[in-house]
Amino acid sequence: MNTCRHLAIIMDGNGRWAKAQGKPRTAGHFAGADNVRTIAIAANERGVEYLTIYAFSTENWKRSQEEVGYLMKLPSIFFKKYMQEFLDRGFRIRIIGEMDALPEGTRNVLRDAEIQSEKNTGLTLSIAMNYGSRREITLAARKYAQDVADGKRANDLEESEFDSYLFTADMPPVDLMVRTSGECRISNYLLWQIAYAELEFVPESWPEFTPEVLDRCLKEYSERDRRYGGIKYE
Ligand code: FPP
């Protein structure tokens, strides 16, 4: 039986879910944010230690100004509603992505959530905001090259050390990546971290992704045969 320490989710289908109900796309994102709380609590209760969710990608800036503006406001709405509860539950909030390019208000809200919860030791809810995996790897390469140029280290980087240059430094590799809403793509998400992750693509949209659907995903994951390239003889 595999245990899932690190679950990553691509929360797709908010827009389609809203449209199907005759609502604006932003209503889908609002419902999606509420569902982050539900699933974070459920994941924590099921023993998951790290939950990493894709809230805004480096490609999402291409969406309408109205939608981008709303997605930038959501962290403030979300943490106003739920931060106290997250603190009570011992959750630690972490942001991965390029924070510098976010509007100042959004950045401050996110930083605040990180700082308020930094001593917590429960579930790490890691929110990918202005995140792109290729960008993350590129920035890591730059940081490493700078360390070498500054004489801080020799040019002898090992695979295991590369992690420490990524936004996800100190987090374990992803065990399970789930994408909702039927699309079977990775969309530039955690490319390094999913090297040996199990992948699951579920038909439900993100607002419809209930704790029961999570249970189904974790059950399927627990039954997968993870061999990491080796051979297992029965
Ligand atoms: C993809 O669905 C979803 C997004 C680009 C945004 C996801 C963001 C949230 C769920 C909010 C989380 C926020 C916080 C602060 C926790 P889509 O809109 O592309 O759906 P579609 O493919 O049906 O159009």
Side-chain angles (χ1 to χ4, degrees):
M1 275 259 291
N2 308 307
T3 51
C4 181
R5 286 190 72 199
H6 190 170
L7 169 66
I9 305 184
I10 303 178
M11 309 181 292
D12 200 5
N14 293 342
R16 278 165 281 173
W17 177 86
K19 191 170 174 216
Q21 312 202 13
K23 292 179 181 166
R25 294 180 57 80
T26 48
H29 297 317
F30 182 80
D34 266 355
N35 205 35
V36 169
R37 169 194 169 261
T38 305
I39 296 303
I41 292 169
N44 183 46
E45 285 168 356
R46 286 152 181 77
V48 171
E49 294 168 49
Y50 295 82
L51 173 63
T52 302
I53 53 157
Y54 211 174
F56 193 88
S57 77
T58 46
E59 287 73 35
N60 286 152
W61 296 107
K62 294 182 213 147
R63 298 189 176 202
S64 74
Q65 218 181 340
E66 188 204 351
E67 187 167 347
V68 170
Y70 187 76
L71 287 168
M72 290 299 140
K73 265 197 317 212
L74 255 185
S76 155
I77 298 170
F78 179 72
F79 285 120
K80 253 191 209 113
K81 261 164 105 179
Y82 300 128
M83 190 63 197
Q84 190 53 54
E85 182 182 8
F86 292 160
L87 292 173
D88 293 344
R89 289 180 184 274
F91 290 4
R92 182 172 173 198
I93 308 298
R94 243 178 101 160
I95 310 302
I96 60 169
E98 271 190 283
M99 299 270 276
D100 294 350
L102 295 173
E104 197 185 345
T106 312
R107 196 168 58 235
N108 289 342
V109 164
L110 295 171
R111 282 248 183 279
D112 219 47
E114 281 190 310
I115 293 165
Q116 280 190 63
S117 64
E118 69 189 351
K119 297 218 162 57
N120 285 353
T121 54
L123 174 90
T124 296
L125 172 60
S126 135
I127 303 178
M129 200 71 195
N130 194 27
Y131 176 87
S133 192
R134 287 181 167 182
R135 179 79 181 151
E136 176 185 38
I137 292 169
T138 305
L139 292 175
R142 280 194 203 165
K143 276 186 246 164
Y144 170 70
Q146 194 63 53
D147 279 356
V148 175
D150 292 346
K152 287 189 189 152
R153 58 168 301 149
N155 187 10
D156 59 357
L157 183 69
E158 295 293 341
E159 204 178 290
S160 57
E161 292 171 279
F162 191 68
D163 281 322
S164 66
Y165 288 95
L166 297 171
F167 293 130
T168 52
D170 307 322
M171 285 165 62
V174 174
D175 294 305
L176 170 63
M177 181 179 279
V178 174
R179 182 174 186 139
T180 60
S181 208
E183 239 74 63
C184 299
R185 286 187 293 276
I186 303 298
S187 301
N188 200 19
Y189 195 39
L190 302 169
L191 300 178
W192 175 273
Q193 297 86 342
I194 60 166
Y196 282 102
E198 296 294 324
L199 307 178
E200 292 185 30
F201 301 95
V202 301
E204 290 84 358
S205 67
W206 174 245
E208 295 167 331
F209 189 93
T210 57
E212 291 68 39
V213 182
L214 174 65
D215 282 335
R216 198 179 78 213
C217 291
L218 290 173
K219 181 167 187 296
E220 168 159 356
Y221 165 80
S222 75
E223 291 165 359
R224 295 260 181 105
D225 186 12
R226 300 188 82 192
R227 289 194 300 272
Y228 300 95
I231 297 171
K232 209 164 84 185
Y233 297 99
E234 295 303 326

